[in-house]
Amino acid sequence: MKTSKKLASALIALGLAFGAVGADMATTEAASVSEIAQINVKKDGSNFQYWNQDSASFKALKAYVEDVTNPSSPNFIP
């Protein structure tokens, strides 16, 4: 569960780093804290079943998430 939250946090951070999609949306349309807390990323990556796993973007995202969720990495996000 702790890893899932870290993965979800990392994915959200990545999304914010590359710019929010629909940044012009009203704040009433933003996800609530409880909705964000329900995000579950499976460790085996099966949540990404519709992504082409050979694509550079998928590999980069997966490597990033693995890096920032690894406690021994200098890029670790607690």
Side-chain angles (χ1 to χ4, degrees), residues 6 67-78:
K6 287 182 184 178
D67 183 38
V68 298
T69 58
N70 179 354
S72 62
S73 169
N75 301 316
F76 176 66
I77 300 173

PDB file of all heavy atoms in Angstrom, residues 6 67-78:
ATOM      1  N   LYS A   6       3.291   5.932  -3.022  1.00  0.00           N
ATOM      2  CA  LYS A   6       4.483   6.595  -3.536  1.00  0.00           C
ATOM      3  C   LYS A   6       4.435   6.652  -5.049  1.00  0.00           C
ATOM      4  O   LYS A   6       4.793   7.654  -5.657  1.00  0.00           O
ATOM      5  CB  LYS A   6       5.745   5.854  -3.089  1.00  0.00           C
ATOM      6  CG  LYS A   6       6.082   6.038  -1.639  1.00  0.00           C
ATOM      7  CD  LYS A   6       7.357   5.316  -1.296  1.00  0.00           C
ATOM      8  CE  LYS A   6       7.674   5.410   0.170  1.00  0.00           C
ATOM      9  NZ  LYS A   6       8.878   4.665   0.515  1.00  0.00           N
ATOM     10  N   ASP A  67      12.877   5.072  -9.947  1.00  0.00           N
ATOM     11  CA  ASP A  67      13.958   5.842  -9.346  1.00  0.00           C
ATOM     12  C   ASP A  67      13.485   6.624  -8.131  1.00  0.00           C
ATOM     13  O   ASP A  67      14.091   6.551  -7.061  1.00  0.00           O
ATOM     14  CB  ASP A  67      14.556   6.785 -10.389  1.00  0.00           C
ATOM     15  CG  ASP A  67      15.740   7.574  -9.868  1.00  0.00           C
ATOM     16  OD1 ASP A  67      16.556   7.010  -9.095  1.00  0.00           O
ATOM     17  OD2 ASP A  67      15.868   8.751 -10.237  1.00  0.00           O
ATOM     18  N   VAL A  68      12.403   7.361  -8.265  1.00  0.00           N
ATOM     19  CA  VAL A  68      11.970   8.233  -7.159  1.00  0.00           C
ATOM     20  C   VAL A  68      11.301   7.473  -6.024  1.00  0.00           C
ATOM     21  O   VAL A  68      11.106   8.025  -4.948  1.00  0.00           O
ATOM     22  CB  VAL A  68      11.049   9.376  -7.653  1.00  0.00           C
ATOM     23  CG1 VAL A  68      11.786  10.272  -8.626  1.00  0.00           C
ATOM     24  CG2 VAL A  68       9.767   8.854  -8.244  1.00  0.00           C
ATOM     25  N   THR A  69      10.949   6.210  -6.236  1.00  0.00           N
ATOM     26  CA  THR A  69      10.352   5.417  -5.149  1.00  0.00           C
ATOM     27  C   THR A  69      11.365   4.472  -4.509  1.00  0.00           C
ATOM     28  O   THR A  69      11.018   3.735  -3.595  1.00  0.00           O
ATOM     29  CB  THR A  69       9.144   4.608  -5.655  1.00  0.00           C
ATOM     30  OG1 THR A  69       9.558   3.748  -6.714  1.00  0.00           O
ATOM     31  CG2 THR A  69       8.024   5.521  -6.109  1.00  0.00           C
ATOM     32  N   ASN A  70      12.614   4.512  -4.961  1.00  0.00           N
ATOM     33  CA  ASN A  70      13.667   3.678  -4.399  1.00  0.00           C
ATOM     34  C   ASN A  70      14.351   4.454  -3.272  1.00  0.00           C
ATOM     35  O   ASN A  70      15.021   5.450  -3.521  1.00  0.00           O
ATOM     36  CB  ASN A  70      14.679   3.324  -5.492  1.00  0.00           C
ATOM     37  CG  ASN A  70      15.824   2.482  -4.989  1.00  0.00           C
ATOM     38  OD1 ASN A  70      15.959   2.224  -3.797  1.00  0.00           O
ATOM     39  ND2 ASN A  70      16.659   2.036  -5.914  1.00  0.00           N
ATOM     40  N   PRO A  71      14.219   3.982  -2.012  1.00  0.00           N
ATOM     41  CA  PRO A  71      14.797   4.715  -0.878  1.00  0.00           C
ATOM     42  C   PRO A  71      16.300   4.903  -0.974  1.00  0.00           C
ATOM     43  O   PRO A  71      16.842   5.842  -0.389  1.00  0.00           O
ATOM     44  CB  PRO A  71      14.439   3.849   0.336  1.00  0.00           C
ATOM     45  CG  PRO A  71      13.280   3.039  -0.113  1.00  0.00           C
ATOM     46  CD  PRO A  71      13.460   2.818  -1.577  1.00  0.00           C
ATOM     47  N   SER A  72      17.022   4.071  -1.709  1.00  0.00           N
ATOM     48  CA  SER A  72      18.469   4.224  -1.805  1.00  0.00           C
ATOM     49  C   SER A  72      18.888   5.145  -2.957  1.00  0.00           C
ATOM     50  O   SER A  72      20.070   5.418  -3.130  1.00  0.00           O
ATOM     51  CB  SER A  72      19.143   2.853  -1.957  1.00  0.00           C
ATOM     52  OG  SER A  72      18.723   2.218  -3.151  1.00  0.00           O
ATOM     53  N   SER A  73      17.946   5.642  -3.724  1.00  0.00           N
ATOM     54  CA  SER A  73      18.230   6.549  -4.836  1.00  0.00           C
ATOM     55  C   SER A  73      18.422   7.973  -4.324  1.00  0.00           C
ATOM     56  O   SER A  73      17.703   8.416  -3.423  1.00  0.00           O
ATOM     57  CB  SER A  73      17.085   6.525  -5.845  1.00  0.00           C
ATOM     58  OG  SER A  73      17.233   7.580  -6.777  1.00  0.00           O
ATOM     59  N   PRO A  74      19.364   8.707  -4.900  1.00  0.00           N
ATOM     60  CA  PRO A  74      19.519  10.111  -4.506  1.00  0.00           C
ATOM     61  C   PRO A  74      18.310  10.972  -4.930  1.00  0.00           C
ATOM     62  O   PRO A  74      18.121  12.064  -4.423  1.00  0.00           O
ATOM     63  CB  PRO A  74      20.785  10.566  -5.241  1.00  0.00           C
ATOM     64  CG  PRO A  74      20.951   9.605  -6.372  1.00  0.00           C
ATOM     65  CD  PRO A  74      20.340   8.309  -5.920  1.00  0.00           C
ATOM     66  N   ASN A  75      17.482  10.439  -5.822  1.00  0.00           N
ATOM     67  CA  ASN A  75      16.298  11.151  -6.289  1.00  0.00           C
ATOM     68  C   ASN A  75      15.027  10.726  -5.553  1.00  0.00           C
ATOM     69  O   ASN A  75      13.933  11.096  -5.947  1.00  0.00           O
ATOM     70  CB  ASN A  75      16.102  10.910  -7.795  1.00  0.00           C
ATOM     71  CG  ASN A  75      17.294  11.365  -8.584  1.00  0.00           C
ATOM     72  OD1 ASN A  75      17.835  12.432  -8.343  1.00  0.00           O
ATOM     73  ND2 ASN A  75      17.739  10.539  -9.516  1.00  0.00           N
ATOM     74  N   PHE A  76      15.175   9.946  -4.497  1.00  0.00           N
ATOM     75  CA  PHE A  76      14.050   9.412  -3.739  1.00  0.00           C
ATOM     76  C   PHE A  76      13.135  10.525  -3.240  1.00  0.00           C
ATOM     77  O   PHE A  76      13.585  11.541  -2.741  1.00  0.00           O
ATOM     78  CB  PHE A  76      14.566   8.604  -2.543  1.00  0.00           C
ATOM     79  CG  PHE A  76      13.488   8.081  -1.638  1.00  0.00           C
ATOM     80  CD1 PHE A  76      12.588   7.129  -2.076  1.00  0.00           C
ATOM     81  CD2 PHE A  76      13.379   8.533  -0.339  1.00  0.00           C
ATOM     82  CE1 PHE A  76      11.609   6.643  -1.249  1.00  0.00           C
ATOM     83  CE2 PHE A  76      12.398   8.041   0.508  1.00  0.00           C
ATOM     84  CZ  PHE A  76      11.511   7.096   0.045  1.00  0.00           C
ATOM     85  N   ILE A  77      11.826  10.326  -3.434  1.00  0.00           N
ATOM     86  CA  ILE A  77      10.830  11.255  -2.914  1.00  0.00           C
ATOM     87  C   ILE A  77      10.147  10.575  -1.737  1.00  0.00           C
ATOM     88  O   ILE A  77       9.427   9.602  -1.919  1.00  0.00           O
ATOM     89  CB  ILE A  77       9.779  11.614  -3.996  1.00  0.00           C
ATOM     90  CG1 ILE A  77      10.443  12.263  -5.200  1.00  0.00           C
ATOM     91  CG2 ILE A  77       8.701  12.524  -3.409  1.00  0.00           C
ATOM     92  CD1 ILE A  77       9.514  12.500  -6.366  1.00  0.00           C
ATOM     93  N   PRO A  78      10.406  11.060  -0.522  1.00  0.00           N
ATOM     94  CA  PRO A  78       9.810  10.404   0.669  1.00  0.00           C
ATOM     95  C   PRO A  78       8.305  10.556   0.718  1.00  0.00           C
ATOM     96  O   PRO A  78       7.738  11.447   0.160  1.00  0.00           O
ATOM     97  CB  PRO A  78      10.468  11.125   1.839  1.00  0.00           C
ATOM     98  CG  PRO A  78      11.182  12.303   1.301  1.00  0.00           C
ATOM     99  CD  PRO A  78      11.250  12.188  -0.184  1.00  0.00           C
TER     100      PRO A  78
END
